[in-house]
Amino acid sequence: MASSSSKTLKDLWKQPAAKRLKQVSSTENFISSALASSSSRKDCDEDPKDVVSSTPEQNSRMEFNRSLAKSKRNLKLCSDKISKLNANGEGGGYVKLQELLIEETWLEALPGEFEKTYAGNLCKFVEKEISGGVPIYPPLHLIFNALNTTAFDRIKAVIIGQDPYHGPGQAMGLSFSVPKGVKVPSSLLNIYKELKQDLGCSIPIHGNLEQWAVQGVLLLNAVLTVRHHQANSHANKGWEQFTDAIIKTISKKKEGVVFILWGNYAQAKARLVDETKHHILKSAHPSGLSANRGFFGCRHFSQTNQLLEKMGMPPIEWQL
């Protein structure tokens, strides 16, 4: 543990809660709109016949709103835990990563994972890094944002990234995604260009992919934290073992998930997936250096929807 450090986790969490929560409100307008749509239904006065006759689109929207409300609840619970820790002067001098994973379906899917030796070492490493004075991204309440937003039982597709963006305000715990108001990274802009070519989607002015995550697209980085302006600084510290366990669990316990693997790093994860049960789509990475070498024209978004529809599942609405 890093308890000998003069700067502990308690010191780092003494910023006002309003300041912390401000970082996670970039999708507030979208969330408020969806929740308002959900709450406008006449829950008490609905005729059962009307419920039965709901169209697939209506059912999909209702499920989306329920998932969105649940992800918002998870985010609030996670932020409240950190606020309470600070208010009570607790923490024990180390990061309890398991306390930041709120989504019950993932806790059930990964029993005992945090009790393993590597996870304990990972906790100690992250605590030491946070106490070291160099900013660590994403913020604590967003470290498990991918899992807290996309429930295990909702997964339809997985997009694997490498590690979080390492600039201030960029990382939000979802691979390739940045909060609204932050400049869209070049890789994500190329993803948008392919979406436009593939499905005719208009290119958004923001980079927040939460809408995909709520629909069941797990936006998973292989490494979940990073040091300020130091790409891959938290690689080979235990995160890869944890996220590999996630991929293996999906492969073992689910069927028909579409794994979207862009670039050599993500494609190496294919070894963890049972290809007799799942679908794997591969292409070059969408970065500026490689997008023209096979990413553009891959049509992974339309292919994903075609696969889902063949399995009788609602397609992803990729338009943001």
Side-chain angles (χ1 to χ4, degrees):
M1 298 183 181
S3 57
S4 60
S5 172
S6 60
K7 191 171 186 181
T8 67
L9 199 59
K10 293 179 286 184
D11 300 317
L12 295 166
W13 286 347
K14 287 181 179 177
Q15 55 180 316
K19 182 176 180 181
R20 286 195 305 273
L21 293 176
K22 183 178 180 181
Q23 302 175 43
V24 301
S25 62
S26 62
T27 59
E28 182 175 349
N29 291 337
F30 170 76
I31 291 175
S32 299
S33 175
L35 291 178
S37 173
S38 177
S39 63
S40 66
R41 300 192 307 273
K42 297 179 181 179
D43 296 326
C44 296
D45 299 328
E46 283 182 331
D47 189 315
K49 292 182 293 184
D50 295 333
V51 176
V52 173
S53 63
S54 296
T55 67
E57 292 76 13
Q58 289 172 327
N59 290 334
S60 181
R61 171 54 60 176
M62 288 188 288
E63 184 61 34
F64 174 87
N65 287 335
R66 284 192 291 267
S67 296
L68 183 59
K70 189 177 183 183
S71 69
K72 187 179 182 183
R73 182 214 66 167
N74 288 344
L75 181 61
K76 185 178 185 302
L77 287 173
C78 190
S79 297
D80 286 349
K81 282 191 175 186
I82 295 173
S83 298
K84 183 178 179 181
L85 184 70
N86 177 54
N88 293 344
E90 299 174 353
Y94 61 95
V95 177
K96 297 180 181 179
L97 287 178
Q98 64 269 35
E99 293 296 320
L100 303 179
L101 179 55
I102 305 296
E103 174 54 42
E104 298 94 338
T105 58
W106 280 108
L107 294 173
E108 294 169 0
L110 298 167
E113 196 66 31
F114 286 106
E115 281 68 53
K116 294 181 179 179
T117 300
Y118 86 88
N121 293 333
L122 176 61
C123 288
K124 295 174 185 177
F125 169 76
V126 174
E127 155 64 13
K128 183 178 179 181
E129 286 289 284
I130 292 174
S131 301
V134 177
I136 302 301
Y137 306 127
L140 289 172
H141 59 285
L142 296 179
I143 288 177
F144 292 118
N145 197 25
L147 305 182
N148 287 333
T149 301
T150 307
F152 181 75
D153 57 5
R154 286 276 291 165
I155 296 174
K156 298 178 181 178
V158 180
I159 297 179
I160 297 176
Q162 190 161 351
D163 68 340
Y165 295 119
H166 51 79
Q170 289 184 303
M172 58 180 294
L174 305 175
S175 62
F176 295 99
S177 182
V178 294
K180 287 183 178 179
V182 174
K183 182 180 178 181
V184 177
S186 60
S187 291
L188 181 52
L189 183 58
N190 285 336
I191 290 172
Y192 287 166
K193 290 177 180 178
E194 173 59 21
L195 260 175
K196 183 177 181 179
Q197 180 67 28
D198 186 11
L199 292 172
C201 295
S202 60
I203 296 179
I205 60 173
H206 65 84
N208 192 324
L209 306 181
E210 183 185 32
Q211 185 173 341
W212 296 356
V214 172
Q215 293 181 78
V217 181
L218 180 64
L219 299 171
L220 181 68
N221 280 318
V223 176
L224 300 187
T225 56
V226 69
R227 197 180 300 151
H228 173 73
H229 285 330
Q230 297 181 46
N232 298 315
S233 52
H234 286 187
N236 302 314
K237 302 298 182 181
W239 279 127
E240 294 91 342
Q241 189 170 344
F242 179 75
T243 54
D244 280 0
I246 290 173
I247 297 170
K248 290 177 183 177
T249 298
I250 296 171
S251 178
K252 180 180 179 180
K253 297 184 178 181
K254 298 186 69 68
E255 291 186 7
V257 175
V258 182
F259 288 83
I260 302 173
L261 309 179
W262 296 329
N264 292 333
Y265 185 91
Q267 289 172 24
K269 303 295 182 181
R271 73 186 191 282
L272 307 174
V273 180
D274 184 347
E275 296 189 46
T276 67
K277 296 171 56 183
H278 303 282
H279 307 280
I280 296 179
L281 303 178
K282 298 179 181 180
S283 80
H285 194 275
S287 71
L289 296 174
S290 59
N292 286 307
R293 301 174 186 170
F295 176 75
F296 289 136
C298 70
R299 301 183 67 85
H300 282 178
F301 306 102
S302 61
Q303 287 187 53
T304 296
N305 281 352
Q306 290 166 7
L307 290 168
L308 292 174
E309 288 176 320
K310 284 182 180 178
M311 294 182 286
M313 301 173 66
I316 303 298
E317 174 52 72
W318 296 104
Q319 178 67 66
L320 296 171

